[in-house]
């Protein structure tokens, strides 16, 4: 009845940089489509226009995305031999929902690596807490996320006190998660400020989200960690790391969002 | 003889979202204008169009910026009561140099703060090493940067082994550093991969740079720290924190760049 991630992010080229698609029903949190899902949907069109996967994509959120048809206007700014830079706008019912700017290329462009980081230590999935939203919402039925027990108490007034969320993520039926799936995962967990404890658990609008795709995940559940360092004057950063089952960092994210007002 | 930062980032509105400006001579590193300077120049036009300072700005770099006149095309995507989202393109001699997307608003939008971080510990300026570029370049004569002694050895083949650069920054004559100045500072230090030790000291092109402006600095030199966690397959992230003299975080940056090839 509800579309899978691949179905729910399908776009159709109409020529001259115009694409059509649909914000699928059931991908919402409290009625509004998940921000990472919207980013994935828009980015499909940009990637299609240049035939390359996303490497670094930034979205600025303009209005909530409601289920229904959308138009995505794509502008190929530059298409080089290895990389292409593309901007786009996702509109719904005549309203701008999302503005996107990205560079598209394979993630491996050269040699040399040095990693200062590691996947988060997580209890086994069966000891984690399945994510479910504080309000009626379809999104958490479309995806499968589990957070560490200490990160799940905010719903019962037991915030961990640390603005952090870490846990596991997969799609139903272990559907493969590609570069577009990673864009969604970057915004799939509850806002980390819920675990700060000093703010109400409510809508926390993302202003800006940037995702660097660093690899295509190996099959298996992803290990994710999101955290904030700087909550100030009503705004917070949320930094994210997404690691695949082989222990490799596959995406880095960072967003700027508004703390909930209740 | 050479333009100050304020002069070198002046733009003139020509109406209908078109701005003129100039890549000033003397703001280059090895002939190409510094990437943070270019971002500041372009962002001046976007900010002027909506009468608000930058809050979060992302640039994708398309071509090196050479001294000379530029056109900046600005598209106001949405101008709300508190925030405005704007995209823009900086062109020079008919070539796209920079694509920019940003949200513009005052940095204080609400209440509540929680900081998990601190300014880097730095020796006094007089014990640090004045930044100077590995090649003939004007940029480091236009600005004043000093790095910790342990971060300065890479020029003599003594990389610290840690992809990090930390130090002080100010403008000549203690000129005030505003939101636009912070955009420049975000790319003003040498690439952190120079201190990894495994790569040649050479051009390290920025693909994407995002800066969140978290405050307007108090007068006095800035404390800056840049570091990379994930160098992989020829790409690296460079994360940055910029703190003012009052000990407040005033900007967070992150870029994705190519490791130098020699």
């Amino acid at each position: 009845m509800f579309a899978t991630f691949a179905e729910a992010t399908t776009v159709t080229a109409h020529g001259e940089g115009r694409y059509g698609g649909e914000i699928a029903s059931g991908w919402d949190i409290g009625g509004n489509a998940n921000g990472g899902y919207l980013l994935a949907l828009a980015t499909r069109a940009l990637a299609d226009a240049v035939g390359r996967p996303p490497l670094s994509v930034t979205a600025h959120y303009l209005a909530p995305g409601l289920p229904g048809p959308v138009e995505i206007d794509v502008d190929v700014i530059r298409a080089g031999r290895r990389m292409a830079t593309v901007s786009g706008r996702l509109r719904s019912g005549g309203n701008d929902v999302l503005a996107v700017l990205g560079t598209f290329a394979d993630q491996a462009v050269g040699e040399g690596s040095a990693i200062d980081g590691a996947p988060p230590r997580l209890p086994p999935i069966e000891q984690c807490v399945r994510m479910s939203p504080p309000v009626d919402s379809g999104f958490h039925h479309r995806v499968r996320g589990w957070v560490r027990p200490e990160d799940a108490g905010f719903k019962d007034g037991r915030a961990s006190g640390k603005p952090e969320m870490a846990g596991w993520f997969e799609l139903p039926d272990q559907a493969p998660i590609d570069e577009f799936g990673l864009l969604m995962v970057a915004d799939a967990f509850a806002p980390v400020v819920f675990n700060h404890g000093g703010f109400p658990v409510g809508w926390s609008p993302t202003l800006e989200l940037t995702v660097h795709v660093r690899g295509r995940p190996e099959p298996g559940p992803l290990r994710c960690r999101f955290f904030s360092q700087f909550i100030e004057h009503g705004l917070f950063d949320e930094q994210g790391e997404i690691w695949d089952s082989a222990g490799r960092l596959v995406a880095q994210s960072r967003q700027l969002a508004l703390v909930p007002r209740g």
Side-chain angles (χ1 to χ4, degrees), chain A residues 43-112:
Chain A
T43 302
R44 284 254 196 235
L46 277 66
D48 182 83
V50 292
R52 273 167 263 198
L55 176 61
S56 172
V57 190
T58 290
H60 287 247
Y61 291 82
L62 307 164
L66 305 176
V70 297
E71 309 96 53
I72 306 159
D73 288 343
V74 175
D75 181 10
V76 177
I77 298 170
R78 192 194 60 158
R81 192 169 50 83
R82 286 195 308 176
M83 304 207 179
T85 302
V86 189
S87 71
R89 200 87 57 87
L90 186 145
R91 292 195 182 84
S92 166
N95 293 319
D96 284 322
V97 172
L98 204 65
V100 185
L101 176 63
T103 289
F104 294 75
D106 287 316
Q107 295 91 29
V109 302
E111 299 296 319

Side-chain angles (χ1 to χ4, degrees), chain A residues 60-253:
Chain A
H60 287 247
Y61 291 82
L62 307 164
L66 305 176
V70 297
E71 309 96 53
I72 306 159
D73 288 343
V74 175
D75 181 10
V76 177
I77 298 170
R78 192 194 60 158
R81 192 169 50 83
R82 286 195 308 176
M83 304 207 179
T85 302
V86 189
S87 71
R89 200 87 57 87
L90 186 145
R91 292 195 182 84
S92 166
N95 293 319
D96 284 322
V97 172
L98 204 65
V100 185
L101 176 63
T103 289
F104 294 75
D106 287 316
Q107 295 91 29
V109 302
E111 299 296 319
S113 81
I115 305 295
D116 176 19
R121 288 188 200 189
L122 300 174
I125 287 182
E126 53 276 17
Q127 291 173 26
C128 289
V129 178
R130 177 81 189 266
M131 284 196 286
S132 61
V135 288
D136 186 39
S137 128
F139 181 70
H140 290 92
H141 300 288
R142 307 285 91 73
V143 302
R144 298 176 178 278
W146 296 263
V147 293
R148 295 180 303 201
E150 63 265 38
D151 290 341
F154 68 88
K155 282 185 285 186
D156 309 313
R158 291 179 290 103
S160 71
K162 206 173 160 185
E164 185 168 327
M165 295 273 171
W168 300 91
F169 184 95
E170 64 179 22
L171 288 174
D173 305 319
Q174 282 89 50
I177 297 177
D178 61 7
E179 292 89 346
F180 303 97
L182 290 175
L183 300 181
M184 178 180 64
V185 180
D187 193 41
F189 285 67
V192 295
V193 282
F194 289 177
N195 265 330
H196 173 270
F199 303 101
V201 173
W203 191 40
S204 170
T206 300
L207 300 179
E208 182 266 358
L209 170 60
T210 296
V211 184
H212 297 165
V213 177
R214 306 298 300 265
R216 179 183 267 250
E218 294 294 319
L222 301 170
R223 290 170 207 249
C224 308
R225 177 177 171 248
F226 298 91
F227 61 98
S228 180
Q229 282 188 275
F230 303 105
I231 306 173
E232 202 155 23
H233 299 310
L235 290 165
F236 69 101
D237 66 308
E238 180 169 317
Q239 305 175 47
E241 296 175 4
I242 305 173
W243 300 78
D244 74 2
S245 61
R248 182 165 170 238
L249 181 91
V250 287
Q252 280 180 282
S253 67

